[in-house]
Each structure stands twice: as C-alpha cells, then as structure tokens.
Amino acid sequence: MAITRAEVIVTSPDRNFVTLKLTTADGVTGLGDATLNGRESAVVAYLRDHVVPLLIDRDESRIEDTWQFLYRGAYWRRGPVTMAAIAAVDTALWDIKGKVAGLPVYQLLGGASREGLLAYGHASGRDLEELFDSVRDHREQGYRAIRVQTGVPGLKSIYGIASNETRRADKSVRYDHEPAQRGSLPAEEDWDTRSYLRHVPGVFEAVRSEFGPETPLLHDAHHRLAPIEAARLGRSLEPYDLFWLEDVTPAENQESLRLVRRHTTTPLAVGEIFNSVWDYQQIIREQLIDYVRSAVTHTGGISHLKKVLDYAAQYQIKSGMHGPTDVSPVGMAAAMHLGLSIHNFGIQEYMKHGARTDQVFQQSFSWRDGYLHPGDKPGLGVDLDADEAGRYPYAQAYLPYNRLADGTIHDW
Ligand code: GCO
Ligand code: MG
C-alpha cells in the first residue's frame, strides 16, 4: 500500500483548473481539485515543490494521518494556498479509498441522507428585461432555486452580471458569467454602495411580482457592505423572503455579523473565501450565519469540511457549498458526495461548466428536476482525460478588483 506517483495537471478548457492525480502501487488512481481562482500557479508550486515529494511511498489508506502531516508538518498553517493543496490530496485519497472499497465516497461517509441535492444557479441581467430572461432560462434548465444578480444604474460593470464581455468563451450557457478574465492584469470595476442599496430592493420586488413568492431566491453582496449597510440591505429584503443573502460584509472580523444579525431576519451565508474551521469558529458558535459557504476545494478537502459542517450542525447551521465554474468537476463531485451524506445539507451552488471542460473531465453525477446526485461509481466518479487536458494550456487570468468613484480600492 503506497502512493507511487503524484501529478499536478494544469488545464484551461474554458478556464484554468489545477488537478492532483495520485497513483498507488496497485495502479489505483485518485483525483483532487486544487483550483484557486486567479492564484492557480501558487497552488501548483506548493503542490509540486512542497507536497508531492512528501507523498511518494506514503500509505494511501491513511487519509487523516496524511491530512495532519501536511497541516501540522508544514509549520505555517492555514491560508487559501495551503488549504487548497491539502484539499486536493485529501480528496484524491478519498477517491482512491472509494475505488478500493468499490463504493461511491458518500457511502464511506455514512450513506445517503436524502434522494438528491437541491441546487441553485446564477440568473443575472444588466436590467430587468435581461434579468427576467435569465430567470426564465434557469427555470427552463430545471433550477428550483435561483440566485439573482443585477446591474446598478450608473455603474459600468459589477460582479455577477453575464454580459457580452464576461460571458463564457463557448457561450454554452447564455447567462453564466466567468468572473476570471484572461489577461496579464486584473480588470478594474466600479462600485457605489448607496446606488446599490437604493436599487436592489426594487429588483427583488419586481422579480417576486413577475415570478411569484415560491421560488427560493438568493443574492450575493460579495463582501461589499459595511455592517450597518448590510443590516439595512437585509432588512430591506425581508418582504421578498430570500433563501439567503451572501457575503454581506467582509467577515475576517467575525464579530461584525453581530450587528447585522441584530437588525434582520434575512438568512445569511458566509465563507466561500474561508479555508479552515478557525475562520468560522465565532460565527458558528454565536449562530451569526445560517449557511456555511465553503467549497471542499478551498477548505482542506472532504475530511476538514466535514468537521466544519459537523460543528455547524450543533448550531442548526447548514451547508451551502460554493459551486461556481472555478470549482472543477472533481471539486463539485466531492461536494456532492459530502452533501449527500451529511444531515445538515442546505443547498448546492451549481454553475454548469462549459462543453470543453466536460470533455476534459468525464463526470457521472446526475442533474434532474433541480436536484444533483453524485452517482454510484466507486470513488468520486470523475475521470480526467489527460490528452484532452493537454490541448488547453494554462492561460493567466485574474479576478477583477474594485474602486469607488474617488478612486479608493473597495472589496470586490
Ligand atoms: C459565488 C462566488 C463567485 C466568486 C468566484 C471567485 O457565490 O459563486 O461569489 O462568483 O466570485 O467563485 O472565484
Ligand atoms: Mg459568492
């Protein structure tokens, strides 16, 4: 029982992905997603220089020991690069363990706690007409829950809006945007909080009026508000019964959510940029959020995110795993296996990958009537076609950044 080969595969079919492939002495292979949007090369170097040499000859069955070895043995702890690298190793080892056992990973985690995973997609529009078309498009695709993002009058380009410039290269999905834009430097976007706070409640009033009260609607403030502004937004959206309001305020200061919580009953989701349980400790213990947004890919893998969610379950907090196109099909499969097994599953973000991505990664999950299921192939159920992957070399791409009208850098 030993890992004999570890490869870091970088491919860019529709966007950049970093995948770790482990092979054992018995020829069993496992895949792990290590994609960190806009910082992929940092994780590639961390894996190739500081992890791969340590994996060779390790016993692939010892997942927890390997996790602790890579976490504690590095001396320098946590952070997005380290925890994405550890996540890839952890996920690949769970993939191998499932294949050796002849079981899908969710069976190793305690079996299914539900028939399928409620998913949400990203509707967006620069104006109400475009937004309504996007909502209809997502309902036609079968989504039962829909995130709503909108342009703001007076702002040229902001987060989350599929426009001609940001729509994905292959236009495979009309309205999904790919925030990371290929090029040597990040793109600058603009922002004005007061315009946004004046505009958004009216958008949700229009969406509810057009589509009714039933559909779970979500919205992402993408870290842009001060706590009191977040409190105001949460309260102003209460008549529209959101499923959740995401990343209302930068949450490094976990206490800041106390003020938001005092003013609004709109459910809160936080954590897609978190990478360990320590980022959540206070906001879970004080029940300052309702959903944990982390992806398996960015939070130390299946082993660590399960620990975070088991801690959250004690406080009636549910999962809302991050699932944009920059979580690869391997990371999505890991999320689905974990989400299917835990009791406190909430919802799974699901932005469909492009056609070229689906050629590189052969997946076995199902998408039916608004629900996802990881499938029952042993392991994660994903294969990577190395030849196909080789057709798409890495292309530098950055997430945008933000400035206010006076030129001050703001949170993107
Ligand atoms: C989401 C996220 C994304 C991020 C992207 C960054 O809720 O899906 O906010 O849109 O911006 O994943 O890599
Ligand atoms: Mg988000």
Side-chain angles (χ1 to χ4, degrees):
M1 296 268 270
I3 296 166
T4 55
R5 194 173 180 204
E7 304 160 80
V8 181
I9 301 165
V10 183
T11 182
S12 190
D14 298 289
R15 53 148 298 108
N16 294 316
F17 294 113
V18 179
T19 307
L20 176 69
K21 180 178 180 181
L22 302 182
T23 306
T24 71
D26 301 331
V28 181
T29 59
L31 297 177
D33 181 20
T35 306
L36 189 63
N37 203 354
R39 295 296 182 274
E40 294 87 356
S41 304
V43 185
V44 171
Y46 192 97
L47 281 168
R48 284 182 175 154
D49 297 346
H50 306 303
V51 173
V52 164
L54 280 56
L55 293 177
I56 303 307
D57 294 334
R58 278 193 70 86
D59 178 347
E60 72 273 7
S61 70
R62 301 178 63 181
I63 299 177
E64 183 67 17
D65 180 63
T66 298
W67 197 98
Q68 298 296 342
F69 169 60
L70 294 175
Y71 181 79
R72 300 173 191 278
Y75 185 69
W76 309 103
R77 294 187 182 191
R78 299 189 284 165
V81 173
T82 302
M83 297 307 279
I86 293 175
V89 176
D90 181 83
T91 303
L93 293 178
W94 277 108
D95 193 13
I96 289 169
K97 193 174 279 288
K99 290 176 180 177
V100 168
L103 291 170
V105 168
Y106 76 84
Q107 291 291 9
L108 304 178
L109 300 173
S113 297
R114 56 196 55 77
E115 300 313 309
L117 303 167
L118 175 67
Y120 76 88
H122 289 191
S124 69
R126 286 165 287 193
D127 54 34
L128 281 182
E129 182 185 355
E130 202 173 90
L131 174 59
F132 286 7
D133 282 350
S134 181
V135 172
R136 290 187 193 98
D137 188 61
H138 281 77
R139 285 164 73 129
E140 285 159 20
Q141 292 178 55
Y143 284 100
R144 289 170 176 261
I146 296 176
R147 190 185 84 169
V148 168
Q149 300 296 132
T150 172
V152 175
L155 297 183
K156 291 189 298 290
S157 61
I158 71 168
Y159 162 74
I161 308 301
S163 60
N164 294 332
E165 298 71 42
T166 63
R167 282 198 189 131
R168 272 170 316 130
D170 68 358
K171 305 286 189 287
S172 60
V173 180
R174 281 191 301 161
Y175 288 101
D176 274 357
H177 79 293
E178 176 55 72
Q181 294 308 302
R182 287 177 177 169
S184 58
L185 291 173
E188 180 173 308
E189 297 190 347
D190 53 356
W191 181 251
D192 180 86
T193 297
R194 287 176 54 80
S195 301
Y196 167 77
L197 291 176
R198 282 197 304 273
H199 182 66
V200 169
V203 170
F204 278 91
E205 182 179 31
V207 170
R208 280 297 184 213
S209 167
E210 180 76 13
F211 296 102
E214 301 80 12
T215 301
L217 297 179
L218 303 86
H219 181 65
D220 193 343
H222 223 256
H223 324 281
R224 298 177 180 211
L225 305 178
I228 196 65
E229 295 164 341
R232 174 181 158 189
L233 179 62
R235 181 177 290 183
S236 68
L237 293 176
E238 285 176 10
Y240 314 114
D241 183 24
L242 264 61
F243 182 91
W244 83 32
L245 180 56
E246 177 181 345
D247 282 336
V248 281
T249 191
E252 296 96 310
N253 171 14
Q254 298 185 45
E255 287 179 8
S256 63
L257 287 161
R258 286 178 181 163
L259 188 154
V260 183
R261 230 15 176 196
R262 268 201 296 276
H263 291 280
T264 181
T265 58
T266 294
L268 301 177
V270 165
E272 71 178 49
I273 61 173
F274 288 177
N275 50 76
S276 86
V277 66
W278 305 107
D279 295 321
Y280 285 101
Q281 191 186 27
Q282 188 174 3
I283 57 179
I284 287 176
R285 193 178 62 240
E286 296 185 21
Q287 294 181 297
L288 300 180
I289 61 172
D290 304 279
Y291 296 93
V292 167
R293 276 289 282 144
S294 279
V296 167
T297 303
H298 303 130
T299 317
I302 291 170
S303 301
H304 191 65
L305 186 52
K306 178 164 172 43
K307 291 174 180 173
V308 175
L309 292 169
D310 288 347
Y311 174 43
Q314 300 172 53
Y315 297 91
Q316 298 170 285
I317 296 169
K318 297 185 176 181
S319 72
M321 288 180 223
H322 194 204
T325 45
D326 49 281
V327 170
S328 85
V330 177
M332 283 299 292
M336 291 182 214
H337 283 280
L338 180 56
L340 195 69
S341 68
I342 56 173
H343 175 257
N344 59 323
F345 169 80
I347 198 167
Q348 173 61 52
E349 180 177 5
Y350 174 44
M351 273 181 84
K352 294 182 178 175
H353 287 107
R356 286 193 289 265
T357 300
D358 293 342
Q359 286 161 3
V360 172
F361 297 92
Q362 281 81 46
Q363 305 149 64
S364 59
F365 74 88
S366 64
W367 163 245
R368 193 173 301 117
D369 191 25
Y371 291 87
L372 293 162
H373 189 287
D376 286 291
K377 281 184 69 176
L380 294 173
V382 184
D383 293 312
L384 190 154
D385 182 326
D387 295 336
E388 196 66 25
R391 294 179 54 203
Y392 307 108
Y394 170 77
Q396 179 76 58
Y398 280 104
L399 289 169
Y401 66 97
N402 235 339
R403 285 191 186 273
L404 304 177
D406 68 0
T408 306
I409 281 280
H410 194 63
D411 296 287
W412 179 73

